[in-house]
Amino acid sequence: MAGVLKKTTGLVGLAVAQHPHDRLRVLYTKILAVLQHIPKDAAYRKYTEQIVNERLSAVQTEPDVQKLEEKINRGQIEEVITQAENELALTRKMVEWKPWEPLIDEPPADQWKWPI
């Protein structure tokens, strides 16, 4: 981790990450592993896999945290870690929910009509 280490994120409740590259590498690898349980043609898998692979590549090629934050462009690296943790939780839920499968029952004809 090149550059000056920061003492605070300036965000209440969000501590400075001590080893952000390692943490992100682990999180992105876990997300990619969980995505393998989702069909390849599912939109969630396609787009999430694309984003995670781009970010993992940035983590692996950019040793400087500040430059990595600029490449990812999603806030401070600690915020990116939180986003990755949330995405991992969502990915696990998506495997459980299986939204790519057909509906069990047909939806009511006026389900999307407003006002009723």
Side-chain angles (χ1 to χ4, degrees):
M1 183 161 56
V4 179
L5 295 176
K6 59 184 173 184
K7 295 182 181 186
T8 179
T9 61
L11 300 171
V12 175
L14 189 60
V16 174
Q18 297 303 315
H19 305 284
H21 285 80
D22 295 337
R23 184 74 181 127
L24 283 172
R25 197 172 298 113
V26 167
L27 286 167
Y28 289 149
T29 303
K30 285 182 179 182
I31 292 169
L32 291 171
V34 176
L35 284 172
Q36 299 305 308
H37 300 285
I38 297 175
K40 287 185 178 188
D41 61 340
Y44 178 77
R45 176 178 174 171
K46 285 193 291 190
Y47 298 117
T48 304
E49 217 167 29
Q50 177 185 353
I51 291 167
V52 170
N53 279 322
E54 288 171 4
R55 291 185 182 184
L56 181 59
S57 174
V59 168
Q60 292 171 336
T61 58
E62 185 54 66
D64 185 274
V65 174
Q66 193 169 7
K67 288 180 182 175
L68 180 59
E69 288 175 348
E70 291 170 10
K71 272 187 178 180
I72 294 176
N73 195 26
R74 290 292 176 252
Q76 296 182 45
I77 202 69
E78 291 80 7
E79 293 173 289
V80 174
I81 291 169
T82 299
Q83 292 166 10
E85 290 168 345
N86 291 340
E87 194 64 51
L88 178 58
L90 175 61
T91 305
R92 288 174 174 158
K93 285 290 189 183
M94 293 294 271
V95 170
E96 180 184 327
W97 294 332
K98 300 178 182 175
W100 54 85
E101 291 184 352
L103 296 174
I104 295 171
D105 297 324
E106 285 297 315
D110 61 350
Q111 177 175 338
W112 303 111
K113 186 177 176 185
W114 183 262
I116 295 177

